[in-house]
Amino acid sequence: MSTTVTPESFAMVDFDAARIVDVVEHLRGRLQLPDVDICIEVDETTPMGRVRLARLDPLTVRVESGALEDPKAPRQLSEPGAAEALGRLLLAAADRLDPAFGAPALDAELPGGVAMAWDVYGVARLGRAGYGVSQQRRRYHFRNRFGFTDRADRAFDRLWDGDDLRYEDLVAIAADAVSDESALTT
């Protein structure tokens, strides 16, 4: 299966498409991703850092160049940062491609908090695969979403330590994380 990066050459950032392909191929092997074509579409016109899964066939990730950029060296590629940004979405795509996981369609709106729970679960799996990830950074973002409570911390720990979770587990853990039902709708 192939990995492609567009554009093939960059004008606004000092990225090398071949290095991004190497990052993705390393993720593919280390995370045992499904044998599918992967397309990485980089928008180099913005320093923002949005990353999203656009399609499953072929597996297409759209990423703003800021998500791949080294925070200490503007316009330079950060391979560890790229591995984290792309890896969590490639894991989510693998989840979606696995019927046993039970994810909704890619264009379906996820219940409140589920996307955050899924991100934590994905980043934790990256960490267990040997990639350098920051548990504290993810915990802080999770607390901002669900509250700085023991309940939210227990939910985070279930996600971080979780193995072979399914979509329904993510929904239940996100629901358990909040003590106020209104937090699920925002």
Side-chain angles (χ1 to χ4, degrees), residues 84-153:
E84 183 174 344
L86 298 173
R88 69 182 173 80
L89 284 183
L90 294 174
L91 283 167
D95 291 341
R96 286 184 179 278
L97 292 168
D98 179 1
F101 185 78
L106 184 59
D107 60 350
E109 189 171 331
L110 301 180
V114 173
M116 173 69 71
W118 206 340
D119 278 351
V120 168
Y121 178 53
V123 172
R125 290 183 286 170
L126 281 172
R128 286 193 294 276
Y131 290 93
V133 298
S134 172
Q135 181 189 40
Q136 285 310 109
R137 177 176 170 239
R138 292 296 167 171
R139 185 181 297 274
Y140 180 74
H141 291 297
F142 193 81
R143 286 174 172 167
N144 278 327
R145 174 69 174 85
F146 291 103
F148 287 74
T149 66
D150 290 343
R151 183 181 193 136
D153 283 346

Coordinates of all heavy atoms in Angstrom, one line a residue, residues 84-153:
E84 N 2.9 12.3 16.3 CA 1.8 12.4 17.2 C 0.5 12.9 16.5 O -0.6 12.3 16.6 CB 2.1 13.3 18.4 CG 0.9 13.3 19.4 CD 1.2 14.1 20.7 OE1 2.4 14.4 21.0 OE2 0.3 14.4 21.4
A85 N 0.6 14.0 15.7 CA -0.5 14.5 15.1 C -1.1 13.6 14.1 O -2.4 13.4 14.0 CB -0.1 15.8 14.4
L86 N -0.3 12.9 13.3 CA -0.8 12.0 12.3 C -1.1 10.6 12.9 O -2.1 10.0 12.5 CB 0.2 11.8 11.1 CG 0.6 13.1 10.4 CD1 1.7 12.9 9.4 CD2 -0.7 13.6 9.6
G87 N -0.4 10.2 13.8 CA -0.6 8.9 14.4 C -1.9 8.7 15.1 O -2.6 7.7 14.9
R88 N -2.3 9.7 15.8 CA -3.6 9.6 16.5 C -4.8 9.5 15.5 O -5.7 8.8 15.8 CB -3.8 10.7 17.6 CG -4.1 12.1 17.0 CD -4.2 13.1 18.1 NE -4.3 14.4 17.6 CZ -5.4 15.0 17.0 NH1 -6.5 14.3 17.0 NH2 -5.3 16.2 16.5
L89 N -4.7 10.2 14.4 CA -5.7 10.1 13.4 C -5.6 8.8 12.6 O -6.7 8.3 12.2 CB -5.6 11.3 12.4 CG -6.2 12.6 13.0 CD1 -6.1 13.7 12.0 CD2 -7.6 12.5 13.6
L90 N -4.4 8.3 12.4 CA -4.3 7.0 11.7 C -4.9 5.9 12.6 O -5.5 5.0 12.1 CB -2.9 6.8 11.3 CG -2.3 7.7 10.2 CD1 -0.8 7.5 10.0 CD2 -3.1 7.6 8.9
L91 N -4.7 6.0 13.9 CA -5.2 5.0 14.8 C -6.8 5.1 14.8 O -7.5 4.1 14.8 CB -4.7 5.2 16.2 CG -3.3 4.6 16.4 CD1 -2.7 5.1 17.7 CD2 -3.3 3.1 16.3
A92 N -7.3 6.4 14.8 CA -8.7 6.5 14.7 C -9.3 6.0 13.4 O -10.4 5.4 13.4 CB -9.1 8.0 14.9
A93 N -8.6 6.2 12.3 CA -9.0 5.6 11.0 C -9.0 4.1 11.1 O -9.9 3.4 10.6 CB -8.1 6.1 9.9
A94 N -7.9 3.5 11.7 CA -7.9 2.0 11.9 C -9.1 1.6 12.7 O -9.7 0.5 12.4 CB -6.6 1.6 12.5
D95 N -9.4 2.3 13.7 CA -10.6 2.0 14.6 C -11.8 2.0 13.7 O -12.6 1.0 13.7 CB -10.8 3.0 15.7 CG -9.7 2.9 16.8 OD1 -9.0 1.9 16.9 OD2 -9.6 3.9 17.5
R96 N -12.0 3.0 12.9 CA -13.2 3.2 12.0 C -13.3 2.0 11.0 O -14.3 1.6 10.6 CB -13.2 4.5 11.3 CG -13.6 5.6 12.3 CD -13.7 7.0 11.5 NE -14.0 8.1 12.3 CZ -15.3 8.4 12.7 NH1 -16.3 7.6 12.4 NH2 -15.5 9.4 13.5
L97 N -12.1 1.6 10.5 CA -12.1 0.5 9.5 C -12.3 -0.9 10.1 O -12.6 -1.8 9.4 CB -10.8 0.6 8.7 CG -10.6 1.8 7.8 CD1 -9.1 1.9 7.4 CD2 -11.5 1.7 6.7
D98 N -12.3 -1.0 11.4 CA -12.5 -2.2 12.1 C -14.0 -2.4 12.5 O -14.4 -1.6 13.4 CB -11.6 -2.3 13.3 CG -11.8 -3.6 14.1 OD1 -12.6 -4.5 13.7 OD2 -11.1 -3.7 15.2
P99 N -14.8 -3.2 11.8 CA -16.2 -3.3 12.2 C -16.4 -3.7 13.7 O -17.4 -3.2 14.2 CB -16.7 -4.5 11.3 CG -15.7 -4.6 10.2 CD -14.4 -4.1 10.8
A100 N -15.5 -4.4 14.3 CA -15.7 -4.7 15.7 C -15.6 -3.5 16.6 O -16.2 -3.5 17.7 CB -14.7 -5.8 16.1
F101 N -15.0 -2.5 16.2 CA -14.9 -1.2 17.0 C -16.2 -0.6 17.1 O -16.5 0.0 18.1 CB -13.8 -0.3 16.4 CG -13.6 0.9 17.3 CD1 -12.8 0.8 18.4 CD2 -14.1 2.1 16.9 CE1 -12.6 2.0 19.2 CE2 -13.9 3.3 17.7 CZ -13.1 3.2 18.8
G102 N -17.0 -0.6 16.0 CA -18.4 -0.1 16.1 C -18.5 1.4 16.0 O -19.4 2.0 16.5
A103 N -17.6 2.1 15.3 CA -17.7 3.5 15.1 C -18.8 3.9 14.1 O -19.1 3.2 13.2 CB -16.3 4.1 14.6
P104 N -19.3 5.1 14.4 CA -20.3 5.6 13.4 C -19.6 6.1 12.1 O -18.4 6.1 12.0 CB -20.9 6.9 14.1 CG -19.8 7.3 15.0 CD -19.1 6.1 15.5
A105 N -20.4 6.4 11.1 CA -19.8 6.9 9.8 C -18.9 8.1 10.1 O -19.1 8.9 11.0 CB -21.0 7.2 8.9
L106 N -18.0 8.3 9.2 CA -17.0 9.4 9.3 C -17.7 10.7 9.4 O -17.3 11.6 10.1 CB -16.0 9.3 8.2 CG -14.9 10.4 8.2 CD1 -14.0 10.2 9.4 CD2 -14.0 10.2 6.9
D107 N -18.8 10.9 8.7 CA -19.5 12.2 8.7 C -20.5 12.4 9.8 O -21.1 13.4 9.9 CB -20.1 12.5 7.3 CG -21.1 11.5 6.9 OD1 -21.3 10.4 7.6 OD2 -21.8 11.7 5.9
A108 N -20.7 11.4 10.6 CA -21.6 11.5 11.7 C -21.1 12.4 12.8 O -19.9 12.3 13.1 CB -21.9 10.1 12.3
E109 N -21.9 13.1 13.4 CA -21.5 14.0 14.6 C -21.4 13.1 15.8 O -22.3 12.3 16.1 CB -22.6 15.1 14.8 CG -22.1 16.1 15.8 CD -23.0 17.3 15.9 OE1 -23.7 17.6 14.9 OE2 -23.1 17.9 17.0
L110 N -20.3 13.2 16.5 CA -20.0 12.4 17.7 C -20.7 13.1 18.9 O -20.7 14.3 19.0 CB -18.5 12.3 18.0 CG -17.7 11.7 16.9 CD1 -16.2 11.6 17.3 CD2 -18.2 10.3 16.6
P111 N -21.2 12.3 19.8 CA -21.7 12.9 21.1 C -20.6 13.7 21.8 O -19.4 13.5 21.6 CB -22.1 11.7 21.9 CG -22.2 10.6 21.0 CD -21.3 10.9 19.8
G112 N -21.1 14.7 22.5 CA -20.1 15.6 23.3 C -19.1 14.8 24.0 O -19.4 13.9 24.7
G113 N -17.9 15.3 23.9 CA -16.8 14.7 24.6 C -16.2 13.4 24.1 O -15.1 13.0 24.5
V114 N -16.8 12.8 23.2 CA -16.3 11.5 22.6 C -15.1 11.7 21.8 O -14.1 10.9 21.8 CB -17.4 10.7 21.8 CG1 -16.9 9.5 21.2 CG2 -18.6 10.3 22.8
A115 N -15.0 12.8 21.0 CA -13.8 13.1 20.2 C -12.6 13.3 21.1 O -11.5 12.7 20.8 CB -14.1 14.3 19.3
M116 N -12.8 14.0 22.2 CA -11.7 14.1 23.2 C -11.3 12.8 23.8 O -10.1 12.5 23.9 CB -12.1 15.1 24.3 CG -11.1 15.3 25.4 SD -9.6 16.1 25.0 CE -10.2 17.7 24.8
A117 N -12.2 12.0 24.1 CA -11.9 10.7 24.7 C -11.2 9.8 23.7 O -10.2 9.1 24.0 CB -13.2 10.0 25.2
W118 N -11.6 9.9 22.5 CA -11.0 9.1 21.4 C -9.5 9.6 21.2 O -8.6 8.8 21.0 CB -11.8 9.2 20.1 CG -11.7 8.1 19.1 CD1 -10.7 7.2 19.0 CD2 -12.6 7.8 18.1 NE1 -10.9 6.3 18.0 CE2 -12.1 6.7 17.4 CE3 -13.8 8.4 17.7 CZ2 -12.8 6.1 16.3 CZ3 -14.4 7.9 16.6 CH2 -13.9 6.7 15.9
D119 N -9.3 10.9 21.2 CA -8.0 11.4 21.1 C -7.0 10.9 22.2 O -5.9 10.5 22.0 CB -8.0 13.0 21.1 CG -8.3 13.6 19.8 OD1 -8.4 12.8 18.8 OD2 -8.5 14.8 19.7
V120 N -7.6 11.0 23.4 CA -6.8 10.5 24.6 C -6.4 9.0 24.4 O -5.2 8.6 24.6 CB -7.5 10.7 25.9 CG1 -6.8 9.9 27.1 CG2 -7.6 12.2 26.2
Y121 N -7.4 8.2 24.0 CA -7.2 6.8 23.8 C -6.1 6.6 22.7 O -5.2 5.7 22.8 CB -8.5 6.1 23.4 CG -8.4 4.6 23.1 CD1 -7.8 3.8 24.0 CD2 -9.0 4.1 21.9 CE1 -7.8 2.4 23.7 CE2 -8.9 2.8 21.6 CZ -8.3 1.9 22.5 OH -8.3 0.6 22.2
G122 N -6.2 7.4 21.6 CA -5.2 7.2 20.5 C -3.8 7.6 20.9 O -2.8 6.9 20.6
V123 N -3.7 8.8 21.6 CA -2.4 9.2 22.0 C -1.8 8.3 23.0 O -0.5 8.0 23.0 CB -2.4 10.7 22.6 CG1 -1.1 11.1 23.2 CG2 -2.8 11.6 21.5
A124 N -2.6 7.7 23.9 CA -2.0 6.7 24.8 C -1.5 5.5 24.1 O -0.4 5.0 24.5 CB -3.2 6.3 25.8
R125 N -2.2 5.0 23.1 CA -1.7 3.9 22.3 C -0.4 4.3 21.6 O 0.5 3.4 21.5 CB -2.7 3.4 21.3 CG -3.9 2.8 22.0 CD -4.9 2.2 21.0 NE -5.7 3.3 20.4 CZ -6.5 3.2 19.4 NH1 -6.6 2.0 18.8 NH2 -7.2 4.2 18.9
L126 N -0.2 5.5 21.1 CA 1.0 6.0 20.5 C 2.2 5.9 21.6 O 3.3 5.4 21.3 CB 0.9 7.4 20.0 CG 0.2 7.7 18.7 CD1 0.0 9.1 18.5 CD2 1.0 7.0 17.6
G127 N 1.9 6.3 22.8 CA 2.8 6.3 23.9 C 3.3 4.8 24.1 O 4.5 4.5 24.3
R128 N 2.3 3.9 24.2 CA 2.7 2.5 24.4 C 3.5 1.9 23.3 O 4.2 0.9 23.5 CB 1.4 1.7 24.7 CG 0.8 2.0 26.1 CD -0.3 0.9 26.5 NE -1.4 1.0 25.6 CZ -2.5 1.8 25.8 NH1 -2.5 2.6 26.8 NH2 -3.5 1.7 25.0
A129 N 3.3 2.5 22.1 CA 4.1 2.0 21.0 C 5.5 2.6 20.9 O 6.3 2.3 20.0 CB 3.4 2.3 19.7
G130 N 5.8 3.4 21.9 CA 7.2 4.0 22.0 C 7.4 5.4 21.5 O 8.5 5.9 21.5
Y131 N 6.3 6.1 21.1 CA 6.4 7.4 20.7 C 6.3 8.3 21.9 O 5.6 8.1 22.9 CB 5.2 7.8 19.7 CG 5.4 7.1 18.4 CD1 4.8 5.9 18.1 CD2 6.2 7.7 17.4 CE1 5.0 5.3 16.9 CE2 6.4 7.1 16.2 CZ 5.7 5.9 15.9 OH 5.9 5.3 14.7
G132 N 7.1 9.4 21.9 CA 7.1 10.4 23.0 C 5.9 11.2 23.0 O 5.7 12.1 22.1
V133 N 5.0 11.0 23.9 CA 3.8 11.8 24.1 C 3.7 12.3 25.5 O 4.3 11.7 26.4 CB 2.5 10.9 23.8 CG1 2.5 10.5 22.3 CG2 2.3 9.8 24.7
S134 N 3.0 13.4 25.7 CA 2.8 14.0 27.0 C 1.5 13.6 27.6 O 0.5 14.2 27.3 CB 3.0 15.5 26.9 OG 2.7 16.1 28.2
Q135 N 1.5 12.7 28.6 CA 0.3 12.4 29.3 C -0.3 13.6 30.0 O -1.5 13.8 30.0 CB 0.5 11.2 30.3 CG -0.7 10.8 31.0 CD -0.5 9.9 32.2 OE1 0.5 10.0 32.9 NE2 -1.4 8.9 32.3
Q136 N 0.6 14.4 30.7 CA 0.1 15.6 31.4 C -0.6 16.6 30.5 O -1.6 17.2 30.9 CB 1.2 16.2 32.2 CG 1.6 15.4 33.4 CD 0.5 15.0 34.3 OE1 0.1 13.8 34.4 NE2 -0.1 16.0 35.0
R137 N 0.0 16.8 29.3 CA -0.6 17.7 28.4 C -2.0 17.2 28.0 O -3.0 18.0 28.0 CB 0.2 17.8 27.1 CG -0.4 18.7 26.1 CD 0.6 18.9 24.9 NE 0.0 19.5 23.8 CZ -0.2 19.0 22.6 NH1 0.3 17.8 22.3 NH2 -0.8 19.6 21.7
R138 N -2.2 16.0 27.7 CA -3.5 15.4 27.4 C -4.4 15.4 28.6 O -5.6 15.7 28.4 CB -3.3 14.0 26.8 CG -2.6 13.9 25.5 CD -3.5 14.6 24.4 NE -2.7 14.8 23.3 CZ -3.1 15.2 22.1 NH1 -4.4 15.5 22.0 NH2 -2.3 15.4 21.1
R139 N -3.9 15.2 29.7 CA -4.8 15.2 30.9 C -5.3 16.6 31.2 O -6.5 16.8 31.5 CB -4.0 14.7 32.2 CG -4.9 14.7 33.4 CD -4.1 14.2 34.7 NE -3.6 12.9 34.5 CZ -4.3 11.8 34.8 NH1 -5.5 11.8 35.2 NH2 -3.7 10.6 34.7
Y140 N -4.4 17.6 30.9 CA -4.9 19.0 31.1 C -6.0 19.4 30.1 O -7.0 20.0 30.5 CB -3.7 19.9 30.9 CG -4.0 21.4 31.1 CD1 -4.3 21.9 32.4 CD2 -4.1 22.2 30.0 CE1 -4.6 23.3 32.5 CE2 -4.4 23.6 30.1 CZ -4.7 24.1 31.4 OH -5.0 25.4 31.5
H141 N -5.8 19.0 28.9 CA -6.9 19.3 27.9 C -8.2 18.5 28.2 O -9.3 19.1 28.1 CB -6.4 18.9 26.5 CG -5.4 19.7 25.9 ND1 -5.5 21.1 25.7 CD2 -4.1 19.5 25.6 CE1 -4.4 21.6 25.2 NE2 -3.5 20.6 25.1
F142 N -8.0 17.3 28.7 CA -9.2 16.5 29.1 C -9.9 17.2 30.3 O -11.1 17.3 30.3 CB -8.7 15.1 29.5 CG -9.9 14.1 29.7 CD1 -10.4 13.5 28.5 CD2 -10.4 13.8 30.9 CE1 -11.4 12.5 28.7 CE2 -11.4 12.8 31.0 CZ -11.9 12.2 29.9
R143 N -9.1 17.7 31.3 CA -9.7 18.4 32.4 C -10.4 19.7 32.0 O -11.5 20.0 32.5 CB -8.7 18.7 33.4 CG -8.2 17.5 34.2 CD -7.0 17.9 35.1 NE -6.7 16.8 36.0 CZ -5.5 16.8 36.7 NH1 -4.7 17.9 36.6 NH2 -5.3 15.9 37.5
N144 N -9.8 20.4 31.0 CA -10.5 21.6 30.5 C -11.9 21.2 29.9 O -12.8 22.0 30.0 CB -9.6 22.3 29.5 CG -8.6 23.2 30.1 OD1 -8.8 23.7 31.2 ND2 -7.4 23.3 29.5
R145 N -12.0 20.1 29.3 CA -13.2 19.7 28.7 C -14.2 19.1 29.7 O -15.4 19.4 29.6 CB -12.9 18.6 27.6 CG -14.1 18.0 26.9 CD -14.8 19.0 26.1 NE -15.9 18.5 25.3 CZ -17.1 18.4 25.8 NH1 -17.4 18.7 27.0 NH2 -18.1 17.9 25.0
F146 N -13.7 18.3 30.6 CA -14.6 17.6 31.5 C -14.7 18.1 33.0 O -15.5 17.7 33.7 CB -14.3 16.1 31.5 CG -14.6 15.4 30.2 CD1 -13.6 15.1 29.3 CD2 -15.9 15.1 29.9 CE1 -13.9 14.5 28.1 CE2 -16.2 14.5 28.7 CZ -15.2 14.2 27.8
G147 N -13.7 19.0 33.3 CA -13.7 19.5 34.7 C -12.5 19.0 35.4 O -12.0 17.9 35.1
F148 N -12.0 19.7 36.3 CA -10.9 19.4 37.2 C -11.4 18.6 38.4 O -11.4 19.1 39.5 CB -10.1 20.6 37.6 CG -9.3 21.2 36.4 CD1 -9.9 21.9 35.4 CD2 -7.9 21.1 36.4 CE1 -9.2 22.4 34.4 CE2 -7.2 21.6 35.3 CZ -7.8 22.3 34.3
T149 N -11.8 17.4 38.2 CA -12.4 16.6 39.2 C -11.8 15.2 39.3 O -11.2 14.7 38.3 CB -13.9 16.4 39.0 OG1 -14.1 15.6 37.8 CG2 -14.7 17.7 38.8
D150 N -12.0 14.5 40.4 CA -11.5 13.2 40.5 C -12.2 12.3 39.5 O -11.6 11.3 39.0 CB -11.7 12.6 41.9 CG -10.8 13.3 43.0 OD1 -9.8 13.9 42.5 OD2 -11.1 13.2 44.2
R151 N -13.5 12.6 39.3 CA -14.3 11.8 38.3 C -13.7 11.8 36.9 O -13.5 10.8 36.2 CB -15.7 12.3 38.4 CG -16.7 11.5 37.5 CD -18.1 12.1 37.6 NE -19.0 11.2 37.0 CZ -20.2 10.9 37.5 NH1 -20.6 11.5 38.6 NH2 -21.0 10.1 36.9
A152 N -13.3 13.1 36.5 CA -12.7 13.2 35.2 C -11.4 12.5 35.1 O -11.0 11.9 34.1 CB -12.6 14.7 34.8
D153 N -10.6 12.6 36.2 CA -9.3 12.0 36.2 C -9.4 10.5 36.1 O -8.6 9.8 35.5 CB -8.5 12.4 37.5 CG -7.9 13.7 37.4 OD1 -7.8 14.3 36.3 OD2 -7.5 14.2 38.5

